[in-house]
Amino acid sequence: MFAKLVLGLAIALGLCACDDQPAAPDWAWFEPTEWEGQLMGETSLAPWIIGGVDTIELPARVILYRSGCKQCGDHFAALAKNQMSGALTLILVPEPKDDSPSVRDQAPKHDHLELHRLSRGYGVPTPTVLLINQGGRITHVRTGITDQDPK
């Protein structure tokens, strides 16, 4: 009886996978403000970045953006106009159906990374600005409207 109960529970929870590999999620949710004070490589975002975080030139301003995000485009245009100093890395947050023209063209000189594409996408506000110090620690996080972005 106990064995049947355990087997039934295992099946109900989906623990009986034939290939013993966990199913990849179809979406991910992030709370960027929780990353402040953490090393970039230790954040919940790091495993989702194609190629990893080691290519980010430090110190850095990292901006998470979506291709069709008007606020992101406005922010990039303001950065280009104000000629902000320091390394800039843009990280694309892909949408499940991403066919709009990219606002990335409005950004000043930058490096570019992307998150893995998920069928239902990501729950994260854009733009999200991360300031990362020479040691790789996130010293400031700002999400959404970034008119008062730190210099």
Side-chain angles (χ1 to χ4, degrees), residues 40-146:
M40 181 65 178
E42 295 176 354
T43 64
S44 56
L45 177 71
W48 299 96
I49 299 173
I50 297 171
V53 298
D54 294 337
T55 60
I56 298 174
E57 182 184 339
L58 300 174
R61 174 184 308 264
V62 173
I63 304 174
L64 279 66
Y65 78 100
R66 289 182 168 85
S67 289
C69 169
K70 181 183 178 331
Q71 284 183 317
C72 299
D74 294 346
H75 183 67
F76 295 160
L79 286 176
K81 180 180 172 185
N82 295 324
Q83 300 179 351
M84 313 270 324
S85 62
L88 174 62
T89 299
L90 305 183
I91 300 178
L92 174 64
V93 178
E95 293 292 335
K97 293 184 179 170
D98 211 353
D99 55 5
S100 58
S102 180
V103 296
R104 179 178 162 204
D105 297 338
Q106 298 175 45
K109 183 181 177 217
H110 61 275
D111 293 323
H112 191 258
L113 296 170
E114 295 184 18
L115 299 183
H116 290 279
R117 189 170 294 275
L118 300 177
S119 62
R120 289 181 41 212
Y122 290 87
V124 63
T126 55
T128 291
V129 178
L130 309 173
L131 298 184
I132 306 173
N133 68 17
Q134 188 64 41
R137 190 165 303 279
I138 298 171
T139 59
H140 184 81
V141 176
R142 186 164 184 93
T143 62
I145 299 173
T146 56

